[in-house]
């Protein structure tokens, strides 16, 4: 897999791009596949997936990839935003898997050099996001298709299972250093996820129906709204202007959130602070966020933005794994870590595991370090 030639090899200016080719996931004949036309999207009519008709309905479309380092670094604010909106039945959150690492007919001439270059690139990104990164990256991912198919298939088993499956797929590369880039490794990465029917997941991920869904995602991602074609960066190291794919089409930078109601839309591309996502939501849906009652540790200079911070033990039991940026966004000021927490060290801070998660998580299979009580 060869990096795009239009991306500079120094500085952090965007999501990790790779040359996009066409292999069997692209060429297999699947009924219902929507070919990308290259046209700009009507944000309220994307493949028939526009805002629902109920009054006040709010759709949030997350353009992402399981193996994207900027998407991994955005997990703290996305988890916080989802928690703020989780109890409101007017909100529908949908993920679109954009296929960051597409199939390439031409392998890298020097895989070791490519891996070393990409590891430095992830290191630069993690310096901005403070997200964990693997102590050693075994290789650059060959393809995002297997992980995206598994993540999409997991949605049939409910939101909680789907969230945990996607999280494990992200951790495969950014904690373990072993990208889930084959069907076998993607399924192995999610082994032991609570509530997951592993046999059903394997069957669904290999099905024509799920393949068609991910191919539709791939096409939708390449019909960006006009606002992301030119984006002012401000203070963001990754402002999120649409990327040019190898076939000449534009696709959303990762991650991008598109917030939509029947009355209009707002788009928040790239790596952004939590307050920018809140502003996009509140501009379209006044009163959606409850009035704050106390300052939030992650926003000490301004009134709190929902959700209410959780006690550390409660947050860890709910999310199963937390990074340091996530515990700042999601927990209150109580002492950390909770009793029994398992710590996994990475090259950029720890990943904290609930003891039940540590019992089944791939990161703790070879060795385990228990956090002090």
């Amino acid at each position: 897999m060869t990096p795009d030639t239009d991306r500079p090899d120094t500085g952090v200016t965007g999501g990790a791009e790779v040359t996009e080719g066409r292999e069997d996931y692209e060429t297999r004949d699947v009924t219902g596949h929507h070919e990308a036309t290259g046209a700009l999207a009507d944000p309220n009519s994307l493949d028939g997936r526009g805002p629902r008709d109920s009054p006040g309905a709010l759709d949030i479309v997350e353009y992402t990839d399981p193996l994207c380092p900027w998407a991994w670094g955005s997990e703290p604010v996305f988890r916080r935003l989802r928690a703020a909106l989780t109890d409101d039945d007017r909100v529908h959150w949908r993920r679109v898997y954009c296929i960051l690492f597409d199939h390439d007919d031409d392998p890298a001439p020097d895989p070791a050099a490519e891996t070393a270059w990409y590891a430095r690139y992830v290191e630069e990104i993690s310096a901005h996001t403070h997200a964990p990164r693997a102590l050693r990256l075994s290789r650059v991912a060959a393809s995002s298709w297997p992980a995206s198919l598994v993540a999409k298939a997991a949605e049939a088993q409910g939101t909680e299972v789907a969230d945990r499956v996607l999280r494990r797929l992200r951790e495969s590369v950014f904690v373990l250093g072993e990208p889930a880039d084959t069907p076998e490794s993607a399924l192995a990465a999610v082994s032991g996820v609570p509530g997951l029917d592993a046999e059903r997941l394997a069957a669904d991920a290999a099905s024509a129906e799920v393949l068609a869904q991910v191919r539709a995602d791939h096409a939708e991602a390449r019909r960006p709204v006009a606002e992301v074609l030119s984006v002012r960066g401000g203070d963001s190291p990754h402002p999120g202007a649409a990327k040019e794919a190898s076939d000449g089409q534009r696709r959303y930078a990762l991650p991008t959130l598109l917030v939509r109601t029947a009355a209009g839309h707002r788009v928040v591309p790239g790596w952004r602070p939590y307050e920018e996502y809140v502003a996009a939501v509140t501009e379209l849906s006044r009163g959606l966020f409850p009035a704050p009652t106390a300052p939030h540790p992650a926003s000490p200079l301004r009134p709190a933005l929902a959700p209410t911070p959780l006690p550390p033990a409660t947050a860890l039991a709910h999310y199963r794994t937390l990074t340091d940026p996530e515990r700042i966004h999601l927990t209150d000021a109580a002492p950390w870590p909770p009793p029994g927490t398992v710590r996994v060290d990475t090259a950029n801070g720890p990943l904290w595991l609930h003891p039940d998660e540590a019992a089944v998580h791939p990161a703790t299979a070879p060795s385990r370090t228990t956090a002090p009580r």
Side-chain angles (χ1 to χ4, degrees):
M1 196 69 65
T2 306
D4 277 350
T5 56
D6 64 347
R7 179 162 50 85
D9 59 3
T10 59
V12 183
T13 59
E17 288 275 290
V18 292
T19 301
E20 295 177 354
R22 295 184 180 273
E23 206 245 351
D24 65 331
Y25 290 113
E26 294 269 1
T27 57
R28 281 167 53 186
D29 182 20
V30 179
T31 301
H33 171 53
H34 302 286
E35 292 292 343
T37 63
L40 296 180
D42 172 355
N44 293 317
S45 181
L46 295 175
D47 289 339
R49 307 176 186 185
R52 294 164 294 168
D53 294 332
S54 59
L58 182 80
D59 283 357
I60 299 178
V61 187
E62 176 188 352
Y63 295 93
T64 192
D65 184 281
L67 309 182
C68 172
W70 284 113
W72 167 240
S74 297
E75 281 280 275
V77 293
F78 285 0
R79 278 185 158 185
R80 186 176 171 191
L81 185 63
R82 288 171 67 88
L85 301 173
T86 190
D87 293 329
D88 197 310
D89 59 10
R90 296 173 296 171
V91 179
H92 175 62
W93 189 298
R94 178 170 65 88
R95 292 190 177 104
V96 172
Y97 293 103
C98 302
I99 309 300
L100 176 61
F101 295 95
D102 218 334
H103 286 283
D104 188 352
D105 293 332
D106 298 320
D110 188 341
E114 182 195 38
T115 300
W117 172 86
Y118 189 69
R120 291 193 299 271
Y121 180 64
V122 172
E123 182 178 0
E124 291 173 352
I125 293 173
S126 66
H128 291 285
T129 66
H130 305 293
R133 60 181 176 86
L135 292 166
R136 177 184 176 274
L137 181 66
S138 68
R139 64 190 181 281
V140 178
S143 173
S144 292
W145 281 97
S148 297
L149 290 165
V150 167
K152 182 65 71 174
E155 293 176 359
Q157 300 190 38
T159 299
E160 187 172 279
V161 167
D163 287 351
R164 289 175 174 173
V165 163
L166 177 57
R167 177 66 174 213
R168 284 280 199 91
L169 293 168
R170 297 198 197 281
E171 290 169 349
S172 75
V173 59
F174 300 113
V175 176
L176 302 176
E178 296 287 342
D181 57 358
T182 66
E184 295 77 15
S185 63
L187 291 171
V190 303
S191 176
V193 165
L196 177 67
D197 183 334
E199 290 187 5
R200 178 186 177 188
L201 181 71
D204 287 348
S207 70
E209 178 182 359
V210 169
L211 176 58
Q213 292 171 3
V214 177
R215 290 174 70 179
D217 282 1
H218 181 279
E220 180 181 333
R222 284 151 181 80
R223 293 194 295 275
V225 296
E227 292 93 326
V228 301
L229 297 185
S230 178
V231 176
R232 293 183 179 180
D235 295 330
S236 174
H238 175 42
K243 302 295 180 180
E244 184 173 354
S246 59
D247 58 6
Q249 296 184 80
R250 293 279 182 174
R251 72 150 174 82
Y252 285 103
L254 307 180
T256 291
L257 283 197
L258 180 64
V259 183
R260 303 182 295 172
T261 67
H265 72 277
R266 299 289 185 275
V267 63
V268 188
W271 188 68
R272 303 282 175 165
Y274 178 72
E275 288 76 14
E276 290 197 31
Y277 299 104
V278 172
V281 170
T282 54
E283 284 175 14
L284 289 174
S285 187
R286 298 292 179 184
L288 188 64
F289 284 84
T293 57
H296 192 290
S299 305
L301 301 181
R302 58 182 297 168
L305 299 170
T308 301
L310 297 172
T314 302
L316 194 60
H318 176 73
Y319 290 104
R320 307 280 290 190
T321 69
L322 290 171
T323 65
D324 273 349
E326 287 170 335
R327 70 180 180 87
I328 292 171
H329 272 280
L330 296 167
T331 69
D332 60 25
W336 184 273
T341 300
V342 175
R343 173 178 176 144
V344 173
D345 287 313
T346 77
N348 197 45
L351 180 72
W352 303 95
L353 281 69
H354 188 275
D356 291 345
E357 178 69 9
V360 294
H361 196 286
T364 48
S367 62
R368 183 175 301 174
T369 301
T370 304
R373 293 178 178 272

